[in-house]
Amino acid sequence: MIVRLGYVAMSTVVENASPSRTMTYTTFSKLADREAAILKLERIAEENLHNTLRLLRHNRAHDIHLYRFSSKLIPLIGHEDLEREGWDPFPRLEPAFRAIGEYVVEHDMRVSFHPDHFTVLSTPRDEVLRHSIADLDRHVRMFEAMGLDERAKCNIHVGGAYGDKEAAAKRFIANFERLDPRIKERLTLENDDKTFTVAETLDVCERIGVPMVLDLHHHAVNSGGMELDQPLWERIAYTWVGQRVPPKIHMSSPKSEKDPRGHADDVRAEDLLAFLRSIRLFTPELDVMLEAKRKDGALFRLMDELKEASGIRVRDAATVELI
DNA sequence: ACAGGTCAAGTCGTA
DNA sequence: TACGACTTGACCTGT
């Protein structure tokens, strides 16, 4: 089994390369010259995109094929007031987006977004649903501006339960079915750490034909008593059939016993290896997104540990093979 | 230059 | 019904 590692949104190794610089709306609205203020926002966005490209170059130098973009690339996008004014930063940002997309394609990278937990398709509230769809649309638009095909995914959670998980799941499915196909084909669903377990998320995935991203850490703190055994993993892996990318999982280690849901600085090799060994016979390829506090720093450290582990062959600086 | 407070979102538990 | 906790990196204010 070939296992590729990746990380999320920012580097703890490359300095001054934040892809998430922003401006608060308070600061923005205090600027007297509206045109200059808008220009400032777009400058920040360009800088974020430029830093994203820098991170991709850094990734390439370290054989990292897997990366999740920051969702904060364009400051204040989606803000009500700017929306009302008809602000559209995309035309100006198009060259920067295209440069990222070309680099991704040229070096055969796998990239994703993770719209944050305010994107809730299970919501009973029309307004929240509207905002959620608009947010998904903006993320998809960024992929489109990059010129990336549907292998570039937006990963989200099922959402809240509102006291009736069954009803919430049904609402998610109904709302999903009404989405624009260009959004539908970009979605993946991940089990969360409080509400929708692996089994419940997988059930939704199977019903709507969407691939599932398994989060091992979330499963550890919200398993619903279900053991993550071979048959369950096979069902998860099966949701990826026909996707032209291998299954992807998320991995992090608990911060402490007191805060088991928190993310630790690093990922313990043993936590990952135990799972990999349990599935290696059924999975030729697997992508593992690390969600550790130390980001790429944690990836490098994990690779150092994996080098020492038995039954592991190192293929490159961010890829191992289980033998 | 740094510390500590604030910001933004939606859900959920507690009062 | 109202409000604080949750979460996160970055902003912002004051020293």
Side-chain angles (χ1 to χ4, degrees):
Chain A
M1 174 170 63
I2 309 289
V3 179
R4 304 192 298 178
L5 303 181
Y7 69 100
V8 172
M10 62 178 285
S11 173
T12 57
V13 176
V14 184
E15 295 188 348
N16 302 313
S18 169
S20 309
R21 262 202 67 202
T22 187
M23 186 193 290
T24 61
Y25 186 72
T26 313
T27 307
F28 172 82
S29 54
K30 276 183 198 157
L31 297 171
D33 185 340
R34 197 65 159 186
E35 212 172 307
I38 294 273
L39 195 64
K40 205 164 178 180
L41 284 182
E42 294 179 351
R43 286 260 165 78
I44 292 174
E46 277 183 325
E47 191 185 321
N48 288 340
L49 294 172
H50 175 69
N51 281 338
T52 296
L53 189 52
R54 285 176 62 207
L55 291 177
L56 292 180
R57 293 197 185 106
H58 160 72
N59 294 348
R60 179 177 177 245
H62 296 280
D63 305 320
I64 298 168
H65 291 273
L66 200 62
Y67 176 71
R68 182 201 299 164
F69 294 122
S70 162
S71 278
K72 301 187 179 75
L73 293 172
I74 307 174
L76 297 182
I77 192 165
H79 191 286
E80 246 183 303
D81 291 18
L82 285 157
E83 215 66 346
R84 205 177 313 113
E85 288 174 35
W87 177 47
D88 180 9
F90 277 89
R92 188 194 160 100
L93 299 176
E94 194 171 309
F97 274 120
R98 218 175 29 239
I100 290 170
E102 282 168 5
Y103 197 86
V104 166
V105 170
E106 186 182 348
H107 299 292
D108 199 24
M109 293 172 161
R110 179 178 189 179
V111 292
S112 59
F113 277 118
H114 196 344
D116 44 24
H117 61 284
F118 314 117
T119 294
V120 193
L121 294 181
S122 71
T123 185
R125 297 167 55 195
D126 279 347
E127 202 191 342
V128 173
L129 180 63
R130 231 182 31 247
H131 287 155
S132 297
I133 293 171
D135 193 38
L136 284 173
D137 186 76
R138 284 191 296 272
H139 280 90
V140 168
R141 217 178 146 193
M142 289 194 276
F143 278 145
E144 288 167 347
M146 293 175 191
L148 296 175
D149 65 29
E150 76 286 350
R151 285 173 295 179
K153 301 287 189 194
C154 292
N155 182 53
I156 59 171
H157 297 289
V158 179
Y162 314 88
D164 186 345
K165 223 187 269 189
E166 286 269 315
K170 275 189 184 144
R171 208 157 43 230
F172 179 99
I173 291 169
N175 288 334
F176 171 87
E177 296 298 352
R178 282 196 294 269
L179 292 175
D180 192 316
R182 57 184 259 290
I183 295 177
K184 279 183 179 173
E185 69 182 11
R186 298 269 188 183
L187 284 189
T188 60
L189 269 183
E190 175 191 345
N191 58 303
D192 67 75
D193 60 354
K194 278 187 160 160
T195 312
F196 282 88
T197 64
V198 169
E200 291 158 350
T201 306
L202 178 58
D203 183 59
V204 174
C205 285
E206 288 174 338
R207 288 189 199 199
I208 60 178
V210 155
M212 172 163 165
V213 173
L214 168 66
D215 189 307
L216 290 176
H217 187 180
H218 292 167
H219 175 66
V221 295
N222 181 32
S223 69
M226 177 75 90
E227 194 196 340
L228 183 52
D229 55 9
Q230 178 196 322
L232 191 57
W233 168 251
E234 285 184 3
R235 280 174 60 199
I236 295 169
Y238 191 73
T239 64
W240 288 92
V241 170
Q243 289 288 333
R244 298 195 293 147
V245 280
K248 181 166 70 173
I249 67 165
H250 288 178
M251 173 72 214
S252 46
S253 293
K255 185 170 182 158
S256 62
E257 268 182 50
K258 213 180 92 187
D259 179 15
R261 284 173 44 235
H263 290 190
D265 289 354
D266 289 282
V267 170
R268 299 208 320 249
E270 276 316 308
D271 290 351
L272 179 59
L273 280 171
F275 176 72
L276 295 181
R277 289 189 177 120
S278 75
I279 64 158
R280 75 176 190 286
L281 295 178
F282 326 102
T283 317
E285 289 179 293
L286 184 72
D287 285 342
V288 179
M289 184 65 83
L290 303 180
E291 294 186 321
K293 265 232 178 314
R294 286 203 320 118
K295 315 290 179 187
D296 51 343
L299 189 156
F300 298 135
R301 179 159 182 182
L302 177 61
M303 280 300 296
D304 283 341
E305 287 182 32
L306 290 175
K307 277 176 202 162
E308 308 300 322
S310 62
I312 293 282
R313 182 184 296 146
V314 173
R315 287 175 71 101
D316 65 30
T319 308
V320 296
E321 184 177 1
L322 259 73
I323 47 178

